[in-house]
Amino acid sequence: MVGAISFTNIQKIFPAQDDQQAAVEALSHINASIEPGQFVSLVGPSGSGKTTLLRIIAGLEKPTTGEVLIDQERVTQPSRKKGFVFQEATLYPWLTVYDNIALGLRLNKEEKRLNEVNDYIKLVGLEGFEKAFPHNLSGGMQQRVNIARALINKPDVLLLDEPFGALDAFTRSKMQNDLIAIWKERQITMVMVTHDVEEAVFLSDRIFAMTPRPAIIKEVIPVHLERPRLRDAPEFIAIKEQVLSVLNF
Ligand SMILES: Nc1ncnc2c1ncn2[C@@H]1O[C@H](COP(=O)(O)OP(=O)(O)O)[C@@H](O)[C@H]1O
Ligand SMILES: [Mg+2]
């Protein structure tokens, strides 16, 4: 399997924008590795650098020092091997669901794969909505389109930044179930930022608990529970409490 990620001594300092401001050290000496096909969540206080770390894995941001390797190769820029699902809506409002998902193929001159678009629409559960425009979709459905759009490039690693953060509890739990089904089917590495500890325990093989800025990984909490996981099982609640206590809530 592919999609092994390793971080060596990642530090990120955002330089001061002007004389009035100080430089911001967002990340400090992050060392960790993620096995191919694992599901890892990053949890931590707001402003602790979770998005920054995810963007560094994606190649959207450069670390000040240190490096990220994906399958032994140093990350220097974004590529199709690294899918990204952003927190906010990033669909093109003037394109249909089908065309939003097909766009990546068209830009990459892969029209011969257009016959696969419908498979991806099915994978994320959007059959019947091919011709709909983003403004006619619920927030959850828009995130389904974003997931399909990322997956159609066949990434080895899917990076998700609080993708379900704006969704109601019922929709969120449905999306979590569906994401796990997709993860199992695709067998790719997923790294998700979430502020929802229950979501992290439900989804992850391992949870990286970050400290406030400058962030380090304070603790890695493994989740050895069989899937599908039951949120009200005593073992589930115990891990949730362990994570919360590491985060000091
Ligand atoms: N482009 C940027 N320029 C300056 N500071 C930034 C930039 N991006 C993030 N930061 C700062 O780095 C810290 C971590 O941000 P972020 O990674 O977004 O945290 P999180 O996702 O954990 O809430 C914050 O203090 C934030 O203000
Ligand atoms: Mg963030």
Side-chain angles (χ1 to χ4, degrees):
M1 261 212 267
V2 290
I5 307 175
S6 77
F7 310 106
T8 318
N9 258 316
I10 300 285
Q11 185 195 30
K12 178 68 186 184
I13 299 173
F14 290 106
Q17 302 293 332
D18 55 53
D19 299 347
Q20 314 298 319
Q21 273 186 324
V24 174
E25 185 178 8
L27 300 169
S28 163
H29 301 103
I30 304 274
N31 287 288
S33 58
I34 298 172
E35 283 162 36
Q38 267 206 338
F39 199 117
V40 167
S41 291
L42 307 177
V43 298
S46 172
S48 63
K50 302 179 298 295
T51 295
T52 302
L53 184 56
L54 208 62
R55 289 173 55 84
I56 288 173
I57 304 172
L60 293 165
E61 195 88 68
K62 287 195 183 355
T64 308
T65 60
E67 61 178 11
V68 177
L69 301 180
I70 296 183
D71 296 322
Q72 315 305 329
E73 206 174 301
R74 187 179 181 150
V75 172
T76 55
Q77 58 184 11
S79 76
R80 305 172 65 199
K81 292 279 160 205
K82 305 177 288 266
F84 206 107
V85 177
F86 294 89
Q87 187 170 4
E88 65 278 10
T90 51
L91 298 173
Y92 293 101
W94 60 87
L95 295 180
T96 63
V97 165
Y98 181 97
D99 287 328
N100 263 287
I101 297 170
L103 186 67
L105 296 179
R106 292 190 170 123
L107 291 175
N108 289 308
K109 305 250 180 298
E110 288 197 316
E111 281 86 352
K112 60 180 185 307
R113 286 187 58 218
L114 283 173
N115 61 329
E116 292 176 37
V117 172
N118 285 319
D119 300 338
Y120 284 84
I121 287 173
K122 194 167 168 203
L123 180 71
V124 298
L126 283 178
E127 295 127 297
F129 292 93
E130 294 80 357
K131 292 184 180 149
F133 286 92
H135 66 268
N136 288 324
L137 301 179
S138 66
M141 290 160 86
Q142 292 188 23
Q143 282 303 47
R144 289 176 186 275
V145 181
N146 277 318
I147 292 169
R149 195 169 62 163
L151 290 175
I152 203 159
N153 289 323
K154 299 189 176 168
D156 297 333
V157 173
L158 185 66
L159 307 164
L160 307 111
D161 193 0
E162 302 201 32
F164 310 146
L167 307 179
D168 64 86
F170 177 78
T171 307
R172 196 184 315 162
S173 97
K174 176 95 178 70
M175 297 290 289
Q176 291 163 357
N177 284 315
D178 291 357
L179 184 66
I180 284 298
I182 291 170
W183 170 72
K184 282 191 171 158
E185 201 259 349
R186 298 266 119 184
Q187 301 199 311
I188 62 175
T189 307
M190 292 196 183
V191 184
M192 177 192 256
V193 170
T194 176
H195 59 254
D196 179 344
V197 171
E198 183 176 295
E199 176 167 270
V201 178
F202 184 77
L203 296 172
S204 313
D205 295 312
R206 290 192 302 155
I207 299 170
F208 292 2
M210 322 264 292
T211 64
R213 163 169 81 75
I216 57 165
I217 297 173
K218 187 175 180 189
E219 203 164 313
V220 175
I221 299 115
V223 187
H224 297 299
L225 299 175
E226 279 184 29
R227 295 181 175 93
R229 293 175 177 169
L230 299 171
R231 295 164 206 264
D232 50 5
E235 305 80 17
F236 188 103
I237 293 165
I239 296 172
K240 201 166 113 184
E241 276 165 6
Q242 187 191 350
V243 177
L244 287 169
S245 79
V246 171
L247 295 174
N248 260 326
F249 283 116

